[in-house]
Amino acid sequence: MEQRVWSSCEQSLDTDKPLSLQALASMRSLIVNPHTSNSTISSILKTLTRSVQQTADSLTRHHTLKLFTDLASYRTHLSPLIFHSLHSNSLVSTDSSLLAAESLAALSSISKCNPTLPIELDDRLFVSLCFGASVSARLWLLRNAEKFGIRLNVLFTVFLGFTKDPYPYVRKEALDGLVGLCKFGVFEDRSVIEGCYYRGVELLKDAEDCVRCAAVRVVKEWGQMLIASSQEEDKRDWSNTVFIQLCSMVRDMCVGVRIEIFNALGNIQMVSEDILLQTLSKKVLSIMKKKRSHSLHTTENFELLASSAAGAFIHGLEDEFCEVQKSACCSLRKLITLSSEFADQALSLLMDMLNANSMVIRLEALETLHHMAISECLNVQEIHMHMFLGSLIDNNDLIRSAARKIFKLVKLPSLDLFRLSVDGLLESLEIYPQDEAGVFSVLFYMGQNHGNFTACIIKEVSQEIEPVSNGDLGLDSARVAAFLVLSISAPLSCDQNGQSIPPRLFSYAVTLLGRITSALNDIVDQNTLLAYLSRCSRSYISSGMEVEGEEFSLPVADVDVATTTVINDSNPVAMPLMQIGNENSEIHSMISCESGNVGTSIIECQLEEHGQIRKSVNLILAQVKDLWLLVQSRCISEALKILRACKEELAIFTPALPESVGALAFTSQYLHVIKLLVKIWGHIVWKVQSCEIGELEILFGKLERRLREMRCRFIGFSKEEESLILELTLLACILRLSEVEICCYLATLKKLSTTISHLEFLNKEGSIELSNFVMEVKKTLHEIATPIGCVSCSPFVFKKLINHYSAKQFSLSRVTHLYAALSVHGNDFENPLPFISGLPVAIPLEITLHNVSRDARLWVRMAMSEELVQFFFLDLKILGGCDEVTKFTHATPFYRTPKAGSFTLRVCVVMECLFEDAHSVKSFVGPKRSLVYLCPEKEVYLYMI
């Protein structure tokens, strides 16, 4: 086959004509084929070198240069030769700027794969090429100028000059180049900085959107350099000038410009209070009319610019596009700490945003309020409470969670506001009982922050907490439990009246130990909490009273608290609790008496948590079906945004049960597979994105690896779930076969046939019904009708099959996750393991396997580099263990120790995919099938003795 293809190429070369596109395509097939002989590759390289020097056809030259980059990519040992051949070639110094740019692009691609091959370009030649006739070449050269080692003063001159270019995209790249120069920070001439800043100000009025966006970035970056280079007495004045200049663009008609403006405003961290207040008022303030700035050297006077800054943040926060609102909110968050009055006036605007339709905007507003609470500049008033409390009963759990984070920190000025907040939390608990742990945690923090108010509230509701006439406690009521959580936190407050909580309430709280511990697991463990409740329940506390001759205070135990607590020492709420331990036998006996009930409470809490996680996971999986409609409607970016939101929601959960670990791990893997499919679909079906060399192949490689992990690292699927995963594998194969430049056709076609056979087997068992997509794929395979390896079907035949795929409703049942943990005790960069060069060295590995069967084929993979890899087989039938958790220490030998003073091994545990066909391995003993990683790679350090 190789000789036949090369012979056809040589025939076209004998005609002394430029290489045809067909000949170039044949050469590429030989280049990407790993079995092509070195002699043929050498002949191809000589032919391409001669062709690129002789041909005058631009299209042929373009494809020839692309073959050079492919050759360097697939034959890395030839990349230095190809690089130097192109670099020394006259193509780079040619009069044609387009040809030179294409040659430089090829060199840049090769240099990216091999950083030891830097591109060096003469300053004079670079300037000459930039002034060439080709606009596209000029655009590329400006965009990649920093790669060529051009001197900074030359770059600055070129960039500044081309900001006057008649072509808008050239002006945009020149402005971006000026922004890129800011990172060097070596411009000491103030006139240079001012000139660059005012060029950005000038281009803020450009007619093209892209130029104005770039001009905003120039004004921001060079404006900050201008501020930094000013005298101390002028810094604030210049900072005000830059800030107001940016504010003048908040009404721009382009959404992108408005987003850039608000991103820039948040980076100005030295602004006068009156200017900040002006951005929150559409009416020009009287103080602004009297203000002048000697740093303004523009034709506009300060009053005119001040009027343009009026209401800047109002416009941003009320913008019709949520992206602008989000940017304005982020900017406001960065400026809010500069002025307390600015924070107070901005609060009303932020509260209005809590009523926005977009969940993203509501979350941004709450995040800003949380930042204000952390900075202690959140002064909540009664007028704000309606909107604030509304977030606690929002139908989105992320909004409710964000609102609760604020209530943990906020300091309320009056009892009425405190009462409103408690009522709001109780209402939220009534509507969303699944939020109990979160609400209890907030109440605990609020009680600790407002001891006096808490004592008043508990006194008012004491009748609800006390036992009824028959002596039974109403602790089944979430409301009563909430009041108990609030009351037990009061003694931790600095308020004097916070100590006046009846001690019997602490006894009542002991009966809810499991539920309370679950809510406070971030600050205290169960034993410490039980000791605290027990001690407080024995003390007769009242305001100003002494108990047994001692003033009441939290007891300090003489035991090692570290043995009974696992809490965050830096948490101000947890610190008093850390001082309480199992201080006497009475507390120990209480723990013993309650151990049965507490254990039951923990198990119930964990089961409840698992049920909530499973419900949330299934809701996330259900979104994929709706998301796929967006993909089929060409809305690729929107689909990717939804997937990112799903992954963020998934990251919230911290599972306690193994079942939850498996469900969350599988869902994360599933979302990653769908994300890769969406990206590939966008490249192949809709062509919505430009695909760089090798990018699509990288995406396919990641997709195949993830699909392999889904089938190998998770067990316990139902037949329906297994069929849906197999359909994803089918879709991946069809997408690859529909690509014109496919490099593993036969292997993909074989996998397609094997997957169809597996689905047919499930169908014959009566477990599933074959979907329309599977039937169409099966029909196409039958139409090919010849043995695999003897046919090459047109990619367009497979491309038609893509439209038959539709995402199914995926509802996950019980799934088990296979994973491992690996460590080397006492080994790090400063404590390497000793070895003798040329002799084997034993690596003491501590391995923990979860849910791995004894029949699994496990290997320890040890790699010094991509080429030097050694495997060691782990026979679980000999090592022992069970199917759930297997933990052992194994001295794994590494035989190929180098002649070096030290080296590093990357070690991990891998597993063979038993569902794939085994291949013969003659050169070494190792895995015979594809592998999946069960744990991240661990670096092991060794030194020679």
Side-chain angles (χ1 to χ4, degrees), residues 683-687 734 737-740 794-804:
H683 282 306
I684 293 178
V685 179
W686 296 125
K687 308 291 185 183
I734 295 298
L737 291 169
S738 64
E739 176 64 13
V740 176
S794 169
F796 299 103
V797 173
F798 294 105
K799 203 164 187 177
K800 293 179 181 179
L801 294 172
I802 296 176
N803 294 327
H804 290 284

Side-chain angles (χ1 to χ4, degrees), residues 42 132 135 147 151 179 211 337 361 381 384 411 478 487 516 521 535 553 602 609 684 741 766 815 874 879 887 935 937:
S42 179
V135 177
K147 298 179 181 178
R151 287 180 299 157
V179 172
V211 179
T337 57
I361 298 304
Q381 304 299 322
H384 304 135
K411 300 295 180 63
S487 63
I516 298 176
N521 59 7
R535 177 63 181 269
S553 62
I602 293 175
E609 177 194 359
I684 293 178
E741 298 180 350
V815 62
L874 295 176
L879 294 171
K887 188 171 184 179
C935 65
E937 286 187 326

Side-chain angles (χ1 to χ4, degrees), residues 64-75:
T64 303
L65 288 171
K66 186 176 185 302
L67 284 185
F68 273 115
T69 61
D70 290 342
L71 190 57
S73 175
Y74 285 95
R75 310 284 171 166

Side-chain angles (χ1 to χ4, degrees), residues 777-806:
V777 175
K778 179 180 176 183
K779 179 181 176 183
T780 301
L781 284 179
H782 284 304
E783 288 175 355
I784 294 176
T786 55
I788 295 174
C790 303
V791 66
S792 180
C793 189
S794 169
F796 299 103
V797 173
F798 294 105
K799 203 164 187 177
K800 293 179 181 179
L801 294 172
I802 296 176
N803 294 327
H804 290 284
Y805 178 79
S806 61

